[in-house]
């Protein structure tokens, strides 16, 4: 009787609470799944942390943004590099485990490089023919910056040839719109990034808001009229900020609206990572490409590459996962709030 009674009670519970029983089953099953999903997520996170620890990832570390101008046989200014110097600049980066990313990728925090590698941003100012030139058949002229960069990348798999070209109306020495758009199209088709450097290379220091926005908007139109996308970043001519630095990032002139996610200076230090609280999108420092001598004994590229090698704990080191921002957990106070969701402290 007891057994029967118990059986009846069970049957009663099942029949009376049909909906209830179903609900209970529905709740119980997802709970199990959720627990499994959670365990999986924890295991995946642990694996990501182990990978980050293994390479001593530091995605709050510093990133050198190198500023190149012309690559020519007989340098005329402190900004020029010979083809040999430029090649050895790049080979030094290969040797030190750097992988180039574009300025647009940098300011957007889209840094997709292998674990243990360091990000570097290569920028080329003033759109001179010494950077990009080709013959009538579209073959790159040897010893131009782009030809050397592609050659070094070809010989060193993994060193991706990413770079940003800050163009002005000089547009690689081309004068007709057809030739100019050919140059921009070539850069785009080969995965290069185009940045705004104002139309006339105007010194924005002390200029009125109207002059500043007109010149920057004209720089954007230069690119968009030739079929390019509106640039994501701007490099300030001479590194000079306008009276209000916001004017360089956002503005409107006539019907042209510009919005830059990052504004680059001339500068003389490596830049904070875009995930760091120290990152100021309105004033990102760059480093002049130059050997360690004279003016450049401390604050140009060779000196900084030496410094970053010696102080490797301060350098940006990737964990290989572009979706996370990995760093030793004691650096947590330096994480920018906007990236909290992607944080992977270890
Ligand atoms: Zn310039």
């Amino acid at each position: 009787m007891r057994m029967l009674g118990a059986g009846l009670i069970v049957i009663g519970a099942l029949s009376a609470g049909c909906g209830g029983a179903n609900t209970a089953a529905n709740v119980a099953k997802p709970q199990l799944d959720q627990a499994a999903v959670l365990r999986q997520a924890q295991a995946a996170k642990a694996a990501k942390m182990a990978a980050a620890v293994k390479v001593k990832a530091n995605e709050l570390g510093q990133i050198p943004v190198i500023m190149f101008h012309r690559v020519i046989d007989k340098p005329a200014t402190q900004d020029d590099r010979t083809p040999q110097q430029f090649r050895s600049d790049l080979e030094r980066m290969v040797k030190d485990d750097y992988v180039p990313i574009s300025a647009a990728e940098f300011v957007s925090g889209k840094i997709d490089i292998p674990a243990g590698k360091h990000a570097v941003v290569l920028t080329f100012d003033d759109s001179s023919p010494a950077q990009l030139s080709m013959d009538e058949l579209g073959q790159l002229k040897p010893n131009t910056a782009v030809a050397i960069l592609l050659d070094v990348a070809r010989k060193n798999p993994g060193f991706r040839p990413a770079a940003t070209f800050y163009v002005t109306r000089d547009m690689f020495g081309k004068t007709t719109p057809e030739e100019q758009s050919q140059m921009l199209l070539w850069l785009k088709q080969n995965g290069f990034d185009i940045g705004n450097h104002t139309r006339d290379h105007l010194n924005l220091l002390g200029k009125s808001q109207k002059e500043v926005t007109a010149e920057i908007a004209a720089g954007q139109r230069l690119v968009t009229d030739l079929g390019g996308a509106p640039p994501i970043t701007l490099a300030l001519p001479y590194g000079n900020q306008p009276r209000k630095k916001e004017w360089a990032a956002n503005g409107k002139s006539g019907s042209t609206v510009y919005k830059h996610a990052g504004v680059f200076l001339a500068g003389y230090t490596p830049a904070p990572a875009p995930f760091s609280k120290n990152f100021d999108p309105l004033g990102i420092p760059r480093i002049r490409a130059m050997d360690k001598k004279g003016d450049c004994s401390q604050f140009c590229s060779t000196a900084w590459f030496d410094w970053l090698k010696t102080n490797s704990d301060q350098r940006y080191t990737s964990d290989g996962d572009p979706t996370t921002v990995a760093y030793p957990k004691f650096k947590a106070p330096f994480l920018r709030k906007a990236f909290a969701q992607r944080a992977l402290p270890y």
Side-chain angles (χ1 to χ4, degrees), residues 26-200:
N26 284 343
V27 169
K29 196 163 177 284
Q31 266 172 353
L32 277 177
D33 285 350
Q34 271 168 15
V37 165
L38 194 66
R39 273 197 306 278
Q40 263 174 11
Q42 280 166 343
K45 194 172 178 187
K48 284 180 181 198
M49 277 171 74
V53 170
K54 195 173 157 202
V55 296
K56 296 191 179 125
N58 178 12
E59 297 183 324
L60 298 179
Q62 300 178 49
I63 295 177
V65 180
I66 312 298
M67 178 176 67
F68 292 100
H69 283 80
R70 295 182 302 174
V71 172
I72 51 175
D73 284 326
K74 293 193 167 62
T77 77
Q78 276 272 12
D79 288 329
D80 297 331
R81 302 296 274 158
T82 66
Q84 294 74 20
Q85 285 171 333
F86 179 61
R87 185 177 287 274
S88 63
D89 289 340
L90 297 176
E91 285 168 348
R92 161 90 199 247
M93 296 176 208
V94 171
K95 197 162 74 85
D96 284 1
D97 286 325
Y98 286 93
V99 175
I101 59 170
S102 72
E105 290 169 331
F106 170 63
V107 300
S108 320
K110 290 179 186 154
I111 305 183
D112 190 1
I113 62 173
K117 297 284 187 180
H118 317 292
V120 63
V121 183
L122 309 179
T123 65
F124 295 86
D125 287 15
D126 307 344
S127 46
S128 69
Q131 293 166 358
L132 179 64
S133 273
M134 48 200 109
D135 66 17
E136 283 298 310
L137 298 174
Q139 295 294 311
L140 287 174
K141 290 196 180 155
N143 283 348
T144 51
V146 171
I148 295 169
L149 174 58
L150 291 179
D151 188 51
V152 171
R154 201 162 33 235
K155 289 174 178 156
N156 297 279
F159 189 79
R160 65 192 273 263
T164 298
F165 290 83
Y166 288 108
V167 301
T168 65
R169 66 175 179 184
D170 289 342
M171 209 54 88
F172 307 102
K174 300 298 183 191
T175 47
T176 69
E178 291 78 11
E179 290 174 307
Q180 292 183 341
S181 57
Q182 200 177 21
M183 303 306 264
L184 287 192
L185 189 65
W186 189 94
L187 287 172
K188 186 180 162 190
Q189 285 175 340
N190 287 276
F192 291 106
D193 176 36
I194 309 292
N196 191 340
H197 197 36
T198 77
R199 182 186 59 196
D200 305 301

Side-chain angles (χ1 to χ4, degrees), residues 194-242:
I194 309 292
N196 191 340
H197 197 36
T198 77
R199 182 186 59 196
D200 305 301
H201 207 268
L202 189 74
N203 185 351
L204 303 176
L205 190 71
K207 298 286 190 297
S208 71
Q209 184 174 11
K210 201 175 165 198
E211 286 172 288
V212 168
T213 53
E215 185 60 26
I216 294 174
Q220 173 166 300
R221 277 199 305 274
L222 196 64
V223 175
T224 54
D225 286 354
L226 293 170
I232 292 168
T233 63
L234 171 111
L236 293 160
Y238 314 100
N240 285 333
Q241 292 181 304

